[in-house]
Amino acid sequence: METKEQVRAFITSNFYVADPAVLEDGASLLDRGIIDSTGVLEVIFFIEDTFGIKVEDSEMLPDNLDSIDRIANFIARKKG
């Protein structure tokens, strides 16, 4: 399974997404109310557990964690 598919599966199965089929990969998860600050921590734990990546405090930013695309790109950069 590709990284983006894994991230999408995690988001749609662990958070309330009214219609997963219409959730765009670039949509802001925070602005849409899909995740909140606690949800961000859950996403970080998912990234660390699933991909063996350490997310540093300085990396806990919306630029890295606010959409499926951003999360997948962040993982790709860290694995790079």
Side-chain angles (χ1 to χ4, degrees), residues 54-66:
K54 172 71 175 131
V55 179
E56 302 297 334
D57 289 347
S58 63
E59 297 170 325
M60 295 179 191
L61 304 168
D63 283 351
N64 294 330
L65 305 169
D66 190 32

Side-chain angles (χ1 to χ4, degrees), residues 25-80:
D25 291 342
S28 170
L29 301 172
L30 292 165
D31 289 348
R32 292 196 177 207
I34 295 170
I35 62 172
D36 57 12
S37 56
T38 304
V40 170
L41 293 176
E42 290 180 51
V43 170
I44 290 167
F45 294 140
F46 161 74
I47 292 169
E48 291 181 341
D49 289 346
T50 304
F51 300 98
I53 295 170
K54 172 71 175 131
V55 179
E56 302 297 334
D57 289 347
S58 63
E59 297 170 325
M60 295 179 191
L61 304 168
D63 283 351
N64 294 330
L65 305 169
D66 190 32
S67 71
I68 293 170
D69 278 339
R70 288 179 179 194
I71 295 167
N73 290 337
F74 172 70
I75 292 166
R77 284 194 311 273
K78 289 290 282 188
K79 287 172 68 174

Side-chain angles (χ1 to χ4, degrees), residues 1-47:
M1 185 182 293
E2 287 187 27
T3 300
K4 191 180 291 190
E5 292 170 350
Q6 288 179 281
V7 171
R8 173 176 281 283
F10 174 79
I11 296 294
T12 58
S13 63
N14 288 280
F15 301 99
Y16 176 72
V17 179
D19 187 355
V22 299
L23 176 62
E24 304 95 12
D25 291 342
S28 170
L29 301 172
L30 292 165
D31 289 348
R32 292 196 177 207
I34 295 170
I35 62 172
D36 57 12
S37 56
T38 304
V40 170
L41 293 176
E42 290 180 51
V43 170
I44 290 167
F45 294 140
F46 161 74
I47 292 169

